[in-house]
Amino acid sequence: MSKYAAALIAGSLFINLGSAMASPEMVRKYNCTACHAEDKKKYGPTYQQVALKYSDEAGAAEKLAKKIQTGGAGVWGNTPMPAQPRVTDEDALAIARYILSVK
Ligand code: HEC
């Protein structure tokens, strides 16, 4: 394995560990839990459904981060997700990565 590949793997492990710890707290802090749970359908899709749908898609984390901040409807049905303007860019991306890791 090249040094470069090893560094990449080490880096992504670090990111996964970091967000695995930080983000369940963030979704509580931002009250996403009112409408979402990891594996139980509430008002919105479960994180598991979201992860299954997007985890193979390039740029999925960035796309979901944007959707988290701006809200929207039509992907999972007609029920809209309200915009979450309090979520910072950094937190939105961390939460999106966490959601994509729920399987
Ligand atoms: C009032 C209820 C509500 C709250 C609060 C809410 N959501 Fe949602 N969320 C929804 C609904 C409804 C959908 C489905 C929207 C659609 O079909 O396009 C959704 C969709 C999503 C999706 C999938 C987007 C897509 O395009 O597939 C993600 C990711 C998500 N929410 C994350 C979050 C996060 C993170 C928070 C907290 C910062 C949050 N939601 C807060 C209701 C909510």
Side-chain angles (χ1 to χ4, degrees):
M1 192 191 306
S2 75
K3 264 187 195 157
Y4 180 65
L8 264 184
I9 291 169
S12 62
L13 279 176
F14 179 72
I15 289 168
N16 283 337
L17 282 176
S19 55
M21 286 185 292
S23 293
E25 314 237 308
M26 281 184 201
V27 293
R28 270 193 291 278
K29 171 175 136 194
Y30 287 119
N31 211 24
C32 318
T33 37
C35 296
H36 295 284
E38 289 198 350
D39 58 4
K40 202 170 126 244
K41 179 107 177 65
K42 290 174 128 180
Y43 192 72
T46 68
Y47 295 151
Q48 236 166 26
Q49 288 177 295
V50 176
L52 280 174
K53 183 170 167 66
Y54 297 104
S55 54
D56 292 335
E57 202 177 299
E62 288 73 14
K63 177 179 144 178
L64 289 180
K66 188 155 286 160
K67 168 102 173 204
I68 289 168
Q69 290 177 308
T70 56
V75 178
W76 299 92
N78 292 324
T79 319
M81 168 159 162
Q84 311 289 317
R86 288 180 307 141
V87 183
T88 62
D89 291 355
E90 203 183 330
D91 283 3
L93 198 56
I95 292 172
R97 291 203 176 108
Y98 150 67
I99 290 174
L100 289 170
S101 76
V102 177
K103 264 188 267 179

